[in-house]
Amino acid sequence: MNYQNIPTTYTAQTREQLQERIAQRKRELGSQLVILGHHYQSDDVIAFADFVGDSLKLSQQAASLKDVRYIVFCGVHFMAESANILSPAATVLLPHPAAGCAMADLADDTDVATAIDDLAADTAARVVPITYVNSTAAVKAATARAGGACCTSSNVRNVFAWALAPTGQGGAAADKILAIPDQNLGINTAVAMGFTPDDCVVYDPRLAHGGLTADQIRTARFILWKGHCYVHQRFTPEHIHAARQQRPSVRVMVHPECPRETVALADAAGSTEQIIRAVAESPDVRDWAIGTESNLVNRLAARHRDKRIRTLGDAPALCVQMARIDLPRLLWTLDTLATGQPNNTVRVPENIAADARLALERMIAIT
Ligand code: CIZ
Ligand code: SF4
């Protein structure tokens, strides 16, 4: 089967035809099937999701459902991997095989394992890797093997605190945290915890010793993998100044994947779930500029029509990888299930899954 090219019979259908046929397939598959929709998916796709959430919440929801045979993950590849790791008995499908995460792709598992070994050789200090869930299962596995844990943008502070706490308090007694793969999430969290940007250095995996001197490694508390998300990197302090100039009462909330200077200037920073909650729990704030993916921001605007809710900046912020999943792809995936020949399945090899599961379970236990 050609995994890349969808049969033209799908792309030639109208939106209404696709919607009708997807609804029909969902009825036929009944409780065997659960469709998960990440916040960054389009409204068209979200309309068919049984659960909508961030990546961890979705994987946990899937894991809590017994007897589900098929999980169709409308999100990106690392999310489907996590669903497979946490629900090994189900068949997990990603409707587009090229729906990856540009940030996750910036941390190769061999590079991460090399960095962990090199840092151990470069310093007598204890370096504990903390890996954002936006990473491959192989990187999560390498994290667990080095005594580290995963984190999400919702729980990263608690996980960092666990890493730094002494073993007597149930922590990992880290002298330093190696934060993988998002340097922005790393520095923004360190600063939110009371550390300073001077406590952080950036580790470039393409350079020997990450491009760092022995002195830089010795003094740093946070060693930040040189990775970022191109969708969030685009939100700048200038966008915030412009929003405030145009609308003095605007509340600016941004995702911690945004650059440090942007987060420093914003009124608040938080994960997708925290952004949704902040809007819902602030009835008096009528005007929001939000620095995250526009599908989520536009859905928030539609849910709170009495408020003015816009994406921060002057253009929509779209994740191209998330957008690869659309109605033709979703229908095609459901059709392959109905004919017993599922395509685009995501299965993490058990030797990797076991360690990656440990990194996820450590995170869940901490939080
Ligand atoms: O973990 C997730 O779902 C992502 C990518 C972002 C967030 O803030 O929820
Ligand atoms: Fe990855 Fe950024 Fe897209 Fe999220 S928005 S899936 S971090 S590329």
Side-chain angles (χ1 to χ4, degrees), residues 38 40 75-79 99-105 132 134 182 228-233 255 257 292-293 317-323:
H38 188 268
Y40 295 163
V76 292
H77 192 265
F78 77 82
M79 302 179 180
C101 164
M103 180 203 288
D105 289 348
Y132 192 21
N134 295 31
D182 184 9
H228 69 276
C229 161
Y230 71 96
V231 179
H232 291 90
Q233 191 68 26
H255 196 280
E257 290 174 21
T292 196
E293 219 273 351
L318 293 170
C319 175
V320 172
Q321 288 77 7
M322 286 277 176

Side-chain angles (χ1 to χ4, degrees), residues 186-262:
I187 190 169
N188 287 324
T189 306
V191 171
M193 293 173 75
F195 293 92
T196 73
D198 289 342
D199 294 316
C200 305
V201 290
V202 174
Y203 184 100
D204 184 342
R206 291 163 302 183
L207 303 175
H209 307 280
L212 298 168
T213 63
D215 210 40
Q216 283 176 308
I217 293 174
R218 189 179 54 75
T219 54
R221 291 302 299 280
F222 299 88
I223 302 169
L224 313 175
W225 193 265
K226 190 174 166 57
H228 69 276
C229 161
Y230 71 96
V231 179
H232 291 90
Q233 191 68 26
R234 65 176 286 279
F235 294 111
T236 62
E238 289 69 38
H239 290 145
I240 300 182
H241 290 307
R244 288 188 177 140
Q245 202 161 24
Q246 288 160 19
R247 298 141 51 192
S249 63
V250 72
R251 172 83 58 99
V252 179
M253 186 161 182
V254 300
H255 196 280
E257 290 174 21
C258 293
R260 173 70 217 133
E261 315 78 61
T262 306

Side-chain angles (χ1 to χ4, degrees), residues 10 25 37 40 43 51 80 92 97 107 122 143 148 156 182 196 209 215 251 259 261 267 304 312 321 333 349:
Y10 290 96
R25 283 297 189 210
Y40 295 163
D43 288 347
F51 297 100
V92 177
D122 286 345
T143 300
V156 55
D182 184 9
T196 73
H209 307 280
D215 210 40
R251 172 83 58 99
E261 315 78 61
D267 297 303
H304 299 275
L312 178 66
Q321 288 77 7
T333 299

Side-chain angles (χ1 to χ4, degrees), residues 75-365:
V76 292
H77 192 265
F78 77 82
M79 302 179 180
E81 281 189 333
S82 294
N84 173 233
I85 290 165
L86 296 175
S87 299
T91 299
V92 177
L93 297 98
L94 181 69
H96 196 305
C101 164
M103 180 203 288
D105 289 348
L106 293 176
D108 170 82
D109 59 305
T110 313
D111 289 348
V112 167
T114 304
I116 290 170
D117 289 347
D118 283 357
L119 284 167
D122 286 345
T123 169
R126 177 164 161 72
V127 183
V128 172
I130 300 297
T131 295
Y132 192 21
V133 285
N134 295 31
S135 55
T136 64
V139 170
K140 292 181 175 78
T143 300
R145 286 180 208 124
C150 284
C151 69
T152 68
S153 41
S154 292
N155 61 30
V156 55
R157 268 185 81 154
N158 290 341
V159 179
F160 275 19
W162 163 81
L164 295 172
T167 40
Q169 292 172 21
D175 299 307
K176 303 171 192 300
I177 287 176
L178 172 63
I180 308 165
D182 184 9
Q183 62 182 100
N184 292 334
L185 184 72
I187 190 169
N188 287 324
T189 306
V191 171
M193 293 173 75
F195 293 92
T196 73
D198 289 342
D199 294 316
C200 305
V201 290
V202 174
Y203 184 100
D204 184 342
R206 291 163 302 183
L207 303 175
H209 307 280
L212 298 168
T213 63
D215 210 40
Q216 283 176 308
I217 293 174
R218 189 179 54 75
T219 54
R221 291 302 299 280
F222 299 88
I223 302 169
L224 313 175
W225 193 265
K226 190 174 166 57
H228 69 276
C229 161
Y230 71 96
V231 179
H232 291 90
Q233 191 68 26
R234 65 176 286 279
F235 294 111
T236 62
E238 289 69 38
H239 290 145
I240 300 182
H241 290 307
R244 288 188 177 140
Q245 202 161 24
Q246 288 160 19
R247 298 141 51 192
S249 63
V250 72
R251 172 83 58 99
V252 179
M253 186 161 182
V254 300
H255 196 280
E257 290 174 21
C258 293
R260 173 70 217 133
E261 315 78 61
T262 306
V263 171
L265 206 59
D267 297 303
S271 68
T272 53
E273 295 284 329
Q274 289 162 344
I275 291 170
I276 293 166
R277 216 175 310 130
V279 172
E281 292 174 358
S282 311
D284 298 340
V285 182
R286 321 292 310 161
D287 191 351
W288 290 85
I290 296 181
T292 196
E293 219 273 351
S294 291
N295 277 305
L296 169 58
V297 181
N298 294 341
R299 219 162 13 252
L300 268 177
R303 192 182 302 160
H304 299 275
R305 287 197 190 279
D306 55 323
K307 301 184 181 193
R308 186 179 198 278
I309 300 177
R310 300 277 189 277
T311 302
L312 178 66
D314 41 23
L318 293 170
C319 175
V320 172
Q321 288 77 7
M322 286 277 176
R324 290 199 163 123
I325 297 182
D326 55 13
L327 293 182
R329 288 273 168 183
L330 179 56
L331 176 59
W332 186 31
T333 299
L334 298 181
D335 279 353
T336 68
L337 285 183
T339 56
Q341 292 184 312
N343 68 356
N344 300 335
T345 54
V346 174
R347 185 167 289 283
V348 180
E350 191 44 42
N351 60 329
I352 295 173
D355 287 338
R357 190 176 297 120
L358 186 59
L360 287 167
E361 284 171 356
R362 275 187 194 141
M363 166 184 77
I364 292 165

